[in-house]
């Protein structure tokens, strides 16, 4: 990963669901995460689920607020190499 932050997007939720409620951030800005670590918890009409890191790095920004509806493909957070 380069030194510049990488944009990470809201994943697809499957089953025709295109949006979810962002319940909470698990990883805060400045936290280091490994691939597979929980970043956030979202809730769809079907269930609550964790969004996990696709790669390792340090969270540099949250691009949504807890309590907000997020849509698949929208910018969710930024990640940078340490």
């Amino acid at each position: 990963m380069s030194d510049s932050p990488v944009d990470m997007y809201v994943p697809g939720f499957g089953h025709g669901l295109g949006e979810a409620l962002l319940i909470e951030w698990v990883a805060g800005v400045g936290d280091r995460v490994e691939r597979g670590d929980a970043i956030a918890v979202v809730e769809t009409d079907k269930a609550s689920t964790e969004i996990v890191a696709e790669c390792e790095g340090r969270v540099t920004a949250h691009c949504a607020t807890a309590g907000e509806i997020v849509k698949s493909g929208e910018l969710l957070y930024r990640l940078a190499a340490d």
Side-chain angles (χ1 to χ4, degrees):
M1 187 181 301
S2 69
D3 290 340
S4 59
V6 175
D7 292 344
M8 305 304 284
Y9 298 91
V10 178
F13 301 109
H15 307 294
L17 300 172
E19 63 184 29
L21 176 65
L22 177 59
I23 300 295
E24 70 173 311
W25 286 103
V26 177
V29 173
D31 288 353
R32 186 170 192 328
V33 295
E34 299 290 331
R35 182 182 176 136
D37 286 352
I39 296 288
V41 177
V42 296
E43 185 176 87
T44 67
D45 292 341
K46 306 272 183 196
S48 292
T49 189
E50 290 182 338
I51 294 177
V52 298
E54 296 175 28
C55 53
E56 67 180 40
R58 189 165 305 279
V59 178
T60 61
H62 290 160
C63 301
T65 305
E68 185 177 334
I69 298 292
V70 294
K71 296 182 181 183
S72 296
E74 287 183 339
L75 181 61
L76 185 60
Y77 65 100
R78 290 192 169 100
L79 198 65
D82 299 303

